[in-house]
Amino acid sequence: MHSNIDTLFSHMWDDYVTITPSAHKIHKLLLGEESGDEIVNDHVAFRTFKLDKTRLDKLAAHFLALGYEEKGQYDFEAKKLDAKHFEHPDDTQPKVFISELRVDELSEQAQQIIHKLVDQMNPEVVEADNFLYSGRHWDITKADYDTLLNESEYAAWLAAWGFRANHFTVSVNHLSQTNELSEVNTLLKEAGFVLNTSGGEIKGGKDVHLAQSSTMADRADVDFGEETIAIPSCFYEFAQRYAMPDGKLYQGFVAASADKIFESTNAK
């Protein structure tokens, strides 16, 4: 387990940008070339399978060891996912959102493929310092990827990419040039970025104390053994949080919005 939050997030970020090169471009766009400002990361998200070796709690343990606390639970019925979010007592640290796929609700064929993948994995790797940015611990064929993709985009993404940040999130509240998500979206579109329009360009809003948008995922090469093919990798999310009646910024997540954010890794 990492002893330092900043070190962990730095390693996760380095891994993320290797397959999400647009993240660097977005930083320059939002900060300007010469700015000394930094992007504040609202949250980072992970995907996993609900199997003994890879349960959500195995990923969460890395954050709990650094002082994070569980704050919310979510059920995405249509996508067959359970999720939890975690916060650190130091609210300048990013929140963490971890979801897991209820494998036993998939078709027999999909379950067999996922079990075949996870069976290749040494159970001890989940405790390694680098687990949260270690990628894939199994070999997968393009045929198995396609089979999963037909049933669950989430399962296919995880099967292809393994354990790493699925997305980082810009805190719009902390940007220097604008604190309005709609203006961020305009900047992104004018620069040629494709936004996820599932459920609208902006998911949520002031009425639920959280507005979110995201780019569609970059594409990066994946080794399928007999061939290497570019598939959707990771995306960048943008979050604007609103004050609750007590004056504090809302820190949770909105399931209806998150449901649509998952679709940012769909093939365009």
Short mmCIF file of all heavy atoms in Angstrom, two decimals, residues 110-167:
data_model
loop_
_atom_site.label_atom_id
_atom_site.label_comp_id
_atom_site.label_asym_id
_atom_site.label_seq_id
_atom_site.Cartn_x
_atom_site.Cartn_y
_atom_site.Cartn_z
N ALA A 110 -20.65 -14.80 -21.04
CA ALA A 110 -19.86 -13.67 -20.54
C ALA A 110 -19.22 -14.02 -19.20
O ALA A 110 -18.05 -13.68 -18.94
CB ALA A 110 -20.75 -12.43 -20.39
N GLN A 111 -19.98 -14.70 -18.34
CA GLN A 111 -19.42 -15.11 -17.04
C GLN A 111 -18.21 -16.01 -17.22
O GLN A 111 -17.19 -15.85 -16.54
CB GLN A 111 -20.48 -15.86 -16.22
CG GLN A 111 -21.58 -14.98 -15.68
CD GLN A 111 -22.49 -15.75 -14.73
OE1 GLN A 111 -22.02 -16.39 -13.78
NE2 GLN A 111 -23.79 -15.69 -14.96
N GLN A 112 -18.31 -16.96 -18.17
CA GLN A 112 -17.19 -17.89 -18.41
C GLN A 112 -15.95 -17.14 -18.86
O GLN A 112 -14.83 -17.42 -18.41
CB GLN A 112 -17.59 -18.93 -19.45
CG GLN A 112 -18.49 -20.02 -18.90
CD GLN A 112 -19.00 -20.96 -19.98
OE1 GLN A 112 -18.72 -20.79 -21.17
NE2 GLN A 112 -19.76 -21.96 -19.57
N ILE A 113 -16.13 -16.16 -19.74
CA ILE A 113 -14.98 -15.38 -20.24
C ILE A 113 -14.32 -14.62 -19.08
O ILE A 113 -13.10 -14.64 -18.91
CB ILE A 113 -15.43 -14.39 -21.34
CG1 ILE A 113 -15.82 -15.16 -22.60
CG2 ILE A 113 -14.31 -13.39 -21.65
CD1 ILE A 113 -16.47 -14.29 -23.68
N ILE A 114 -15.14 -13.95 -18.27
CA ILE A 114 -14.60 -13.13 -17.18
C ILE A 114 -13.88 -14.00 -16.15
O ILE A 114 -12.78 -13.67 -15.69
CB ILE A 114 -15.72 -12.28 -16.53
CG1 ILE A 114 -16.19 -11.22 -17.53
CG2 ILE A 114 -15.22 -11.63 -15.24
CD1 ILE A 114 -17.49 -10.53 -17.14
N HIS A 115 -14.48 -15.16 -15.82
CA HIS A 115 -13.82 -16.08 -14.89
C HIS A 115 -12.49 -16.57 -15.46
O HIS A 115 -11.49 -16.68 -14.74
CB HIS A 115 -14.73 -17.25 -14.54
CG HIS A 115 -15.74 -16.93 -13.48
ND1 HIS A 115 -15.43 -16.89 -12.14
CD2 HIS A 115 -17.06 -16.60 -13.58
CE1 HIS A 115 -16.52 -16.56 -11.44
NE2 HIS A 115 -17.51 -16.38 -12.29
N LYS A 116 -12.47 -16.84 -16.76
CA LYS A 116 -11.25 -17.31 -17.43
C LYS A 116 -10.15 -16.25 -17.34
O LYS A 116 -8.97 -16.57 -17.13
CB LYS A 116 -11.59 -17.62 -18.90
CG LYS A 116 -10.42 -18.15 -19.72
CD LYS A 116 -10.90 -18.60 -21.10
CE LYS A 116 -11.29 -17.43 -21.99
NZ LYS A 116 -11.69 -17.85 -23.34
N LEU A 117 -10.52 -14.98 -17.45
CA LEU A 117 -9.55 -13.89 -17.35
C LEU A 117 -9.02 -13.78 -15.91
O LEU A 117 -7.81 -13.79 -15.68
CB LEU A 117 -10.18 -12.56 -17.77
CG LEU A 117 -10.75 -12.48 -19.19
CD1 LEU A 117 -11.35 -11.10 -19.43
CD2 LEU A 117 -9.68 -12.77 -20.24
N VAL A 118 -9.94 -13.67 -14.97
CA VAL A 118 -9.54 -13.42 -13.58
C VAL A 118 -8.79 -14.63 -13.00
O VAL A 118 -7.92 -14.47 -12.14
CB VAL A 118 -10.76 -13.02 -12.73
CG1 VAL A 118 -10.40 -12.89 -11.26
CG2 VAL A 118 -11.35 -11.71 -13.25
N ASP A 119 -9.09 -15.84 -13.51
CA ASP A 119 -8.36 -17.03 -13.05
C ASP A 119 -6.87 -16.94 -13.35
O ASP A 119 -6.05 -17.58 -12.68
CB ASP A 119 -8.93 -18.30 -13.72
CG ASP A 119 -10.25 -18.74 -13.10
OD1 ASP A 119 -10.61 -18.19 -12.04
OD2 ASP A 119 -10.93 -19.61 -13.68
N GLN A 120 -6.50 -16.14 -14.36
CA GLN A 120 -5.08 -16.00 -14.73
C GLN A 120 -4.31 -15.09 -13.75
O GLN A 120 -3.09 -14.99 -13.82
CB GLN A 120 -4.95 -15.40 -16.13
CG GLN A 120 -5.53 -16.23 -17.25
CD GLN A 120 -5.50 -15.47 -18.57
OE1 GLN A 120 -4.47 -14.92 -18.96
NE2 GLN A 120 -6.63 -15.42 -19.26
N MET A 121 -5.04 -14.46 -12.86
CA MET A 121 -4.46 -13.41 -12.03
C MET A 121 -3.99 -13.97 -10.68
O MET A 121 -4.70 -14.71 -10.03
CB MET A 121 -5.57 -12.37 -11.82
CG MET A 121 -5.22 -11.15 -11.10
SD MET A 121 -6.72 -10.09 -11.14
CE MET A 121 -6.52 -9.29 -9.58
N ASN A 122 -2.78 -13.59 -10.30
CA ASN A 122 -2.27 -13.94 -8.98
C ASN A 122 -3.07 -13.14 -7.93
O ASN A 122 -3.12 -11.92 -8.00
CB ASN A 122 -0.78 -13.56 -8.91
CG ASN A 122 -0.17 -13.83 -7.54
OD1 ASN A 122 -0.86 -13.92 -6.53
ND2 ASN A 122 1.15 -13.95 -7.52
N PRO A 123 -3.70 -13.84 -6.96
CA PRO A 123 -4.55 -13.11 -6.01
C PRO A 123 -3.81 -12.06 -5.18
O PRO A 123 -4.41 -11.14 -4.64
CB PRO A 123 -5.12 -14.21 -5.12
CG PRO A 123 -4.28 -15.41 -5.34
CD PRO A 123 -3.70 -15.29 -6.72
N GLU A 124 -2.48 -12.20 -5.10
CA GLU A 124 -1.72 -11.27 -4.26
C GLU A 124 -1.48 -9.92 -4.93
O GLU A 124 -1.11 -8.95 -4.25
CB GLU A 124 -0.37 -11.91 -3.87
CG GLU A 124 -0.55 -13.04 -2.87
CD GLU A 124 0.70 -13.87 -2.68
OE1 GLU A 124 1.79 -13.41 -3.09
OE2 GLU A 124 0.58 -14.98 -2.12
N VAL A 125 -1.69 -9.83 -6.25
CA VAL A 125 -1.36 -8.55 -6.93
C VAL A 125 -2.23 -7.41 -6.44
O VAL A 125 -1.84 -6.25 -6.50
CB VAL A 125 -1.47 -8.65 -8.47
CG1 VAL A 125 -0.46 -9.64 -9.01
CG2 VAL A 125 -2.88 -8.98 -8.92
N VAL A 126 -3.43 -7.73 -5.90
CA VAL A 126 -4.33 -6.66 -5.46
C VAL A 126 -3.77 -5.89 -4.27
O VAL A 126 -4.21 -4.78 -3.98
CB VAL A 126 -5.74 -7.18 -5.11
CG1 VAL A 126 -6.41 -7.80 -6.31
CG2 VAL A 126 -5.70 -8.16 -3.95
N GLU A 127 -2.79 -6.48 -3.59
CA GLU A 127 -2.20 -5.81 -2.43
C GLU A 127 -0.94 -5.03 -2.77
O GLU A 127 -0.40 -4.29 -1.94
CB GLU A 127 -1.89 -6.85 -1.34
CG GLU A 127 -3.16 -7.45 -0.74
CD GLU A 127 -2.88 -8.65 0.13
OE1 GLU A 127 -1.74 -8.77 0.62
OE2 GLU A 127 -3.79 -9.46 0.33
N ALA A 128 -0.46 -5.17 -4.00
CA ALA A 128 0.78 -4.50 -4.39
C ALA A 128 0.58 -2.98 -4.44
O ALA A 128 -0.51 -2.49 -4.74
CB ALA A 128 1.24 -5.00 -5.76
N ASP A 129 1.65 -2.24 -4.14
CA ASP A 129 1.61 -0.77 -4.16
C ASP A 129 1.04 -0.24 -5.47
O ASP A 129 0.31 0.75 -5.49
CB ASP A 129 3.02 -0.20 -4.00
CG ASP A 129 3.40 -0.03 -2.53
OD1 ASP A 129 2.58 -0.39 -1.69
OD2 ASP A 129 4.50 0.47 -2.27
N ASN A 130 1.41 -0.89 -6.57
CA ASN A 130 1.07 -0.34 -7.89
C ASN A 130 -0.23 -0.90 -8.46
O ASN A 130 -0.55 -0.66 -9.62
CB ASN A 130 2.21 -0.63 -8.88
CG ASN A 130 2.31 -2.11 -9.24
OD1 ASN A 130 1.76 -2.96 -8.53
ND2 ASN A 130 3.00 -2.42 -10.31
N PHE A 131 -0.99 -1.65 -7.64
CA PHE A 131 -2.16 -2.35 -8.20
C PHE A 131 -3.12 -1.41 -8.93
O PHE A 131 -3.64 -1.74 -9.99
CB PHE A 131 -2.90 -3.13 -7.11
CG PHE A 131 -4.14 -3.81 -7.64
CD1 PHE A 131 -4.03 -4.80 -8.61
CD2 PHE A 131 -5.41 -3.44 -7.20
CE1 PHE A 131 -5.17 -5.42 -9.13
CE2 PHE A 131 -6.53 -4.06 -7.71
CZ PHE A 131 -6.42 -5.05 -8.67
N LEU A 132 -3.36 -0.23 -8.37
CA LEU A 132 -4.37 0.67 -8.94
C LEU A 132 -3.93 1.32 -10.26
O LEU A 132 -4.71 2.02 -10.88
CB LEU A 132 -4.73 1.76 -7.93
CG LEU A 132 -5.44 1.24 -6.66
CD1 LEU A 132 -5.52 2.34 -5.62
CD2 LEU A 132 -6.83 0.70 -6.98
N TYR A 133 -2.70 1.04 -10.68
CA TYR A 133 -2.27 1.51 -12.00
C TYR A 133 -1.46 0.42 -12.70
O TYR A 133 -0.55 0.67 -13.46
CB TYR A 133 -1.47 2.82 -11.90
CG TYR A 133 -0.38 2.85 -10.85
CD1 TYR A 133 0.93 2.52 -11.17
CD2 TYR A 133 -0.68 3.23 -9.53
CE1 TYR A 133 1.93 2.55 -10.20
CE2 TYR A 133 0.32 3.25 -8.56
CZ TYR A 133 1.61 2.91 -8.90
OH TYR A 133 2.59 2.94 -7.94
N SER A 134 -1.84 -0.84 -12.41
CA SER A 134 -1.06 -1.98 -12.92
C SER A 134 -1.60 -2.54 -14.23
O SER A 134 -0.97 -3.39 -14.85
CB SER A 134 -1.02 -3.09 -11.86
OG SER A 134 -2.33 -3.56 -11.58
N GLY A 135 -2.79 -2.10 -14.64
CA GLY A 135 -3.33 -2.57 -15.92
C GLY A 135 -3.89 -3.98 -15.84
O GLY A 135 -4.45 -4.38 -14.83
N ARG A 136 -3.67 -4.71 -16.91
CA ARG A 136 -4.32 -6.01 -17.09
C ARG A 136 -3.44 -7.14 -16.57
O ARG A 136 -2.23 -7.12 -16.78
CB ARG A 136 -4.55 -6.18 -18.60
CG ARG A 136 -5.62 -7.12 -18.99
CD ARG A 136 -5.86 -7.01 -20.48
NE ARG A 136 -4.85 -7.73 -21.25
CZ ARG A 136 -4.68 -7.56 -22.56
NH1 ARG A 136 -5.40 -6.69 -23.23
NH2 ARG A 136 -3.77 -8.26 -23.20
N HIS A 137 -4.06 -8.11 -15.92
CA HIS A 137 -3.31 -9.25 -15.38
C HIS A 137 -3.70 -10.54 -16.06
O HIS A 137 -3.68 -11.60 -15.45
CB HIS A 137 -3.54 -9.34 -13.87
CG HIS A 137 -2.98 -8.18 -13.12
ND1 HIS A 137 -1.72 -8.17 -12.57
CD2 HIS A 137 -3.51 -6.94 -12.86
CE1 HIS A 137 -1.50 -7.00 -11.99
NE2 HIS A 137 -2.57 -6.24 -12.15
N TRP A 138 -4.08 -10.45 -17.32
CA TRP A 138 -4.52 -11.64 -18.06
C TRP A 138 -4.35 -11.40 -19.56
O TRP A 138 -4.22 -10.27 -20.00
CB TRP A 138 -5.99 -11.94 -17.75
CG TRP A 138 -6.87 -10.73 -17.83
CD1 TRP A 138 -7.26 -10.06 -18.96
CD2 TRP A 138 -7.45 -10.02 -16.73
NE1 TRP A 138 -8.05 -8.97 -18.64
CE2 TRP A 138 -8.18 -8.93 -17.28
CE3 TRP A 138 -7.43 -10.20 -15.35
CZ2 TRP A 138 -8.88 -8.02 -16.48
CZ3 TRP A 138 -8.14 -9.29 -14.57
CH2 TRP A 138 -8.85 -8.22 -15.13
N ASP A 139 -4.37 -12.49 -20.30
CA ASP A 139 -4.40 -12.40 -21.76
C ASP A 139 -5.85 -12.48 -22.20
O ASP A 139 -6.66 -13.19 -21.59
CB ASP A 139 -3.62 -13.56 -22.40
CG ASP A 139 -2.14 -13.47 -22.06
OD1 ASP A 139 -1.61 -12.35 -22.02
OD2 ASP A 139 -1.52 -14.53 -21.83
N ILE A 140 -6.18 -11.75 -23.25
CA ILE A 140 -7.55 -11.78 -23.77
C ILE A 140 -7.51 -11.76 -25.29
O ILE A 140 -6.67 -11.09 -25.89
CB ILE A 140 -8.40 -10.60 -23.23
CG1 ILE A 140 -9.82 -10.66 -23.79
CG2 ILE A 140 -7.73 -9.26 -23.51
CD1 ILE A 140 -10.79 -9.67 -23.20
N THR A 141 -8.42 -12.51 -25.90
CA THR A 141 -8.51 -12.52 -27.37
C THR A 141 -9.49 -11.45 -27.82
O THR A 141 -10.37 -11.02 -27.06
CB THR A 141 -9.02 -13.87 -27.89
OG1 THR A 141 -10.35 -14.08 -27.38
CG2 THR A 141 -8.11 -15.01 -27.43
N LYS A 142 -9.34 -11.04 -29.07
CA LYS A 142 -10.27 -10.06 -29.64
C LYS A 142 -11.69 -10.64 -29.65
O LYS A 142 -12.67 -9.93 -29.42
CB LYS A 142 -9.81 -9.69 -31.06
CG LYS A 142 -10.71 -8.67 -31.77
CD LYS A 142 -10.66 -7.31 -31.09
CE LYS A 142 -11.24 -6.19 -31.96
NZ LYS A 142 -12.53 -6.43 -32.55
N ALA A 143 -11.80 -11.95 -29.90
CA ALA A 143 -13.13 -12.59 -29.95
C ALA A 143 -13.83 -12.48 -28.60
O ALA A 143 -15.03 -12.16 -28.52
CB ALA A 143 -12.99 -14.05 -30.36
N ASP A 144 -13.08 -12.73 -27.52
CA ASP A 144 -13.69 -12.63 -26.18
C ASP A 144 -14.04 -11.17 -25.85
O ASP A 144 -15.09 -10.90 -25.24
CB ASP A 144 -12.74 -13.18 -25.11
CG ASP A 144 -12.75 -14.71 -25.07
OD1 ASP A 144 -13.62 -15.30 -25.74
OD2 ASP A 144 -11.90 -15.30 -24.38
N TYR A 145 -13.17 -10.25 -26.26
CA TYR A 145 -13.47 -8.82 -26.05
C TYR A 145 -14.77 -8.45 -26.77
O TYR A 145 -15.64 -7.80 -26.18
CB TYR A 145 -12.31 -7.97 -26.58
CG TYR A 145 -12.60 -6.48 -26.64
CD1 TYR A 145 -12.56 -5.69 -25.49
CD2 TYR A 145 -12.92 -5.87 -27.86
CE1 TYR A 145 -12.83 -4.33 -25.55
CE2 TYR A 145 -13.19 -4.50 -27.92
CZ TYR A 145 -13.14 -3.75 -26.77
OH TYR A 145 -13.41 -2.39 -26.84
N ASP A 146 -14.91 -8.89 -28.01
CA ASP A 146 -16.12 -8.56 -28.79
C ASP A 146 -17.37 -9.18 -28.17
O ASP A 146 -18.44 -8.55 -28.16
CB ASP A 146 -15.97 -9.04 -30.24
CG ASP A 146 -14.98 -8.19 -31.03
OD1 ASP A 146 -14.72 -7.03 -30.62
OD2 ASP A 146 -14.45 -8.68 -32.04
N THR A 147 -17.23 -10.39 -27.67
CA THR A 147 -18.38 -11.04 -27.02
C THR A 147 -18.83 -10.23 -25.80
O THR A 147 -20.03 -9.98 -25.62
CB THR A 147 -18.01 -12.48 -26.58
OG1 THR A 147 -17.64 -13.23 -27.74
CG2 THR A 147 -19.18 -13.17 -25.90
N LEU A 148 -17.86 -9.81 -25.00
CA LEU A 148 -18.21 -8.99 -23.83
C LEU A 148 -18.80 -7.65 -24.25
O LEU A 148 -19.76 -7.16 -23.65
CB LEU A 148 -16.97 -8.76 -22.96
CG LEU A 148 -16.42 -9.98 -22.23
CD1 LEU A 148 -15.15 -9.61 -21.47
CD2 LEU A 148 -17.45 -10.58 -21.27
N LEU A 149 -18.23 -7.08 -25.30
CA LEU A 149 -18.68 -5.75 -25.76
C LEU A 149 -20.14 -5.78 -26.19
O LEU A 149 -20.89 -4.82 -25.97
CB LEU A 149 -17.79 -5.29 -26.92
CG LEU A 149 -17.94 -3.83 -27.37
CD1 LEU A 149 -17.65 -2.86 -26.24
CD2 LEU A 149 -17.02 -3.55 -28.56
N ASN A 150 -20.57 -6.89 -26.75
CA ASN A 150 -21.97 -7.02 -27.18
C ASN A 150 -22.93 -6.99 -26.01
O ASN A 150 -24.09 -6.64 -26.15
CB ASN A 150 -22.16 -8.35 -27.94
CG ASN A 150 -21.84 -8.18 -29.40
OD1 ASN A 150 -21.98 -7.08 -29.94
ND2 ASN A 150 -21.40 -9.25 -30.03
N GLU A 151 -22.42 -7.38 -24.84
CA GLU A 151 -23.30 -7.50 -23.67
C GLU A 151 -23.10 -6.39 -22.65
O GLU A 151 -24.05 -5.90 -22.06
CB GLU A 151 -23.05 -8.86 -23.01
CG GLU A 151 -24.02 -9.12 -21.91
CD GLU A 151 -23.97 -10.57 -21.45
OE1 GLU A 151 -23.53 -11.45 -22.22
OE2 GLU A 151 -24.36 -10.81 -20.31
N SER A 152 -21.86 -6.01 -22.43
CA SER A 152 -21.55 -5.00 -21.41
C SER A 152 -20.30 -4.25 -21.82
O SER A 152 -19.19 -4.80 -21.76
CB SER A 152 -21.33 -5.67 -20.05
OG SER A 152 -20.69 -4.79 -19.14
N GLU A 153 -20.48 -2.99 -22.20
CA GLU A 153 -19.33 -2.17 -22.58
C GLU A 153 -18.36 -2.08 -21.39
O GLU A 153 -17.14 -2.12 -21.55
CB GLU A 153 -19.81 -0.77 -22.99
CG GLU A 153 -18.70 0.15 -23.48
CD GLU A 153 -17.88 0.72 -22.34
OE1 GLU A 153 -18.46 1.00 -21.27
OE2 GLU A 153 -16.65 0.89 -22.53
N TYR A 154 -18.91 -2.00 -20.20
CA TYR A 154 -18.13 -1.92 -18.96
C TYR A 154 -17.21 -3.14 -18.84
O TYR A 154 -16.01 -3.03 -18.57
CB TYR A 154 -19.10 -1.84 -17.79
CG TYR A 154 -18.50 -1.71 -16.41
CD1 TYR A 154 -18.59 -0.50 -15.72
CD2 TYR A 154 -17.91 -2.79 -15.77
CE1 TYR A 154 -18.08 -0.38 -14.43
CE2 TYR A 154 -17.40 -2.68 -14.48
CZ TYR A 154 -17.49 -1.47 -13.82
OH TYR A 154 -16.99 -1.35 -12.54
N ALA A 155 -17.80 -4.33 -19.04
CA ALA A 155 -17.02 -5.58 -18.92
C ALA A 155 -15.91 -5.62 -19.95
O ALA A 155 -14.78 -6.02 -19.65
CB ALA A 155 -17.94 -6.79 -19.09
N ALA A 156 -16.22 -5.20 -21.17
CA ALA A 156 -15.22 -5.24 -22.25
C ALA A 156 -14.07 -4.28 -21.96
O ALA A 156 -12.89 -4.61 -22.15
CB ALA A 156 -15.88 -4.89 -23.58
N TRP A 157 -14.41 -3.08 -21.48
CA TRP A 157 -13.37 -2.10 -21.16
C TRP A 157 -12.43 -2.66 -20.09
O TRP A 157 -11.21 -2.61 -20.22
CB TRP A 157 -14.00 -0.79 -20.69
CG TRP A 157 -13.00 0.31 -20.48
CD1 TRP A 157 -12.65 1.25 -21.40
CD2 TRP A 157 -12.19 0.56 -19.31
NE1 TRP A 157 -11.66 2.08 -20.86
CE2 TRP A 157 -11.37 1.67 -19.60
CE3 TRP A 157 -12.08 -0.03 -18.06
CZ2 TRP A 157 -10.45 2.20 -18.68
CZ3 TRP A 157 -11.16 0.46 -17.13
CH2 TRP A 157 -10.37 1.58 -17.45
N LEU A 158 -13.02 -3.20 -19.04
CA LEU A 158 -12.22 -3.72 -17.93
C LEU A 158 -11.38 -4.92 -18.36
O LEU A 158 -10.22 -5.06 -17.97
CB LEU A 158 -13.17 -4.08 -16.78
CG LEU A 158 -12.59 -4.58 -15.47
CD1 LEU A 158 -11.52 -3.65 -14.93
CD2 LEU A 158 -13.71 -4.77 -14.45
N ALA A 159 -11.96 -5.76 -19.20
CA ALA A 159 -11.23 -6.93 -19.71
C ALA A 159 -10.03 -6.51 -20.54
O ALA A 159 -8.98 -7.16 -20.51
CB ALA A 159 -12.17 -7.81 -20.52
N ALA A 160 -10.18 -5.42 -21.28
CA ALA A 160 -9.10 -4.96 -22.17
C ALA A 160 -8.04 -4.14 -21.44
O ALA A 160 -6.85 -4.24 -21.74
CB ALA A 160 -9.69 -4.13 -23.31
N TRP A 161 -8.47 -3.32 -20.48
CA TRP A 161 -7.56 -2.34 -19.86
C TRP A 161 -7.12 -2.70 -18.45
O TRP A 161 -6.12 -2.18 -17.96
CB TRP A 161 -8.20 -0.95 -19.86
CG TRP A 161 -8.33 -0.38 -21.23
CD1 TRP A 161 -9.50 -0.14 -21.92
CD2 TRP A 161 -7.27 0.03 -22.09
NE1 TRP A 161 -9.21 0.38 -23.15
CE2 TRP A 161 -7.86 0.50 -23.29
CE3 TRP A 161 -5.88 0.04 -21.98
CZ2 TRP A 161 -7.12 0.97 -24.36
CZ3 TRP A 161 -5.12 0.51 -23.05
CH2 TRP A 161 -5.75 0.96 -24.22
N GLY A 162 -7.89 -3.53 -17.76
CA GLY A 162 -7.49 -3.92 -16.41
C GLY A 162 -7.64 -2.81 -15.39
O GLY A 162 -8.53 -1.95 -15.50
N PHE A 163 -6.74 -2.80 -14.41
CA PHE A 163 -6.90 -1.95 -13.23
C PHE A 163 -6.10 -0.66 -13.37
O PHE A 163 -4.88 -0.65 -13.33
CB PHE A 163 -6.49 -2.74 -11.99
CG PHE A 163 -7.34 -3.97 -11.83
CD1 PHE A 163 -6.88 -5.20 -12.27
CD2 PHE A 163 -8.62 -3.88 -11.30
CE1 PHE A 163 -7.67 -6.33 -12.16
CE2 PHE A 163 -9.42 -5.01 -11.19
CZ PHE A 163 -8.95 -6.23 -11.62
N ARG A 164 -6.84 0.40 -13.56
CA ARG A 164 -6.24 1.74 -13.72
C ARG A 164 -7.39 2.74 -13.65
O ARG A 164 -8.56 2.37 -13.73
CB ARG A 164 -5.54 1.84 -15.06
CG ARG A 164 -6.46 1.47 -16.19
CD ARG A 164 -5.86 1.36 -17.58
NE ARG A 164 -4.46 1.59 -17.72
CZ ARG A 164 -3.66 0.82 -18.48
NH1 ARG A 164 -4.17 -0.25 -19.07
NH2 ARG A 164 -2.40 1.10 -18.61
N ALA A 165 -7.04 4.01 -13.50
CA ALA A 165 -8.10 5.03 -13.45
C ALA A 165 -8.87 5.03 -14.76
O ALA A 165 -8.29 5.13 -15.83
CB ALA A 165 -7.47 6.39 -13.21
N ASN A 166 -10.18 4.90 -14.65
CA ASN A 166 -11.04 4.98 -15.83
C ASN A 166 -11.21 6.43 -16.26
O ASN A 166 -11.33 6.73 -17.43
CB ASN A 166 -12.40 4.35 -15.49
CG ASN A 166 -13.44 4.58 -16.55
OD1 ASN A 166 -14.28 5.48 -16.43
ND2 ASN A 166 -13.39 3.79 -17.61
N HIS A 167 -11.21 7.34 -15.30
CA HIS A 167 -11.16 8.77 -15.63
C HIS A 167 -10.74 9.59 -14.42
O HIS A 167 -10.92 9.18 -13.28
CB HIS A 167 -12.51 9.28 -16.17
CG HIS A 167 -13.66 9.20 -15.21
ND1 HIS A 167 -14.47 8.10 -15.11
CD2 HIS A 167 -14.16 10.10 -14.31
CE1 HIS A 167 -15.41 8.31 -14.20
NE2 HIS A 167 -15.25 9.51 -13.68
#
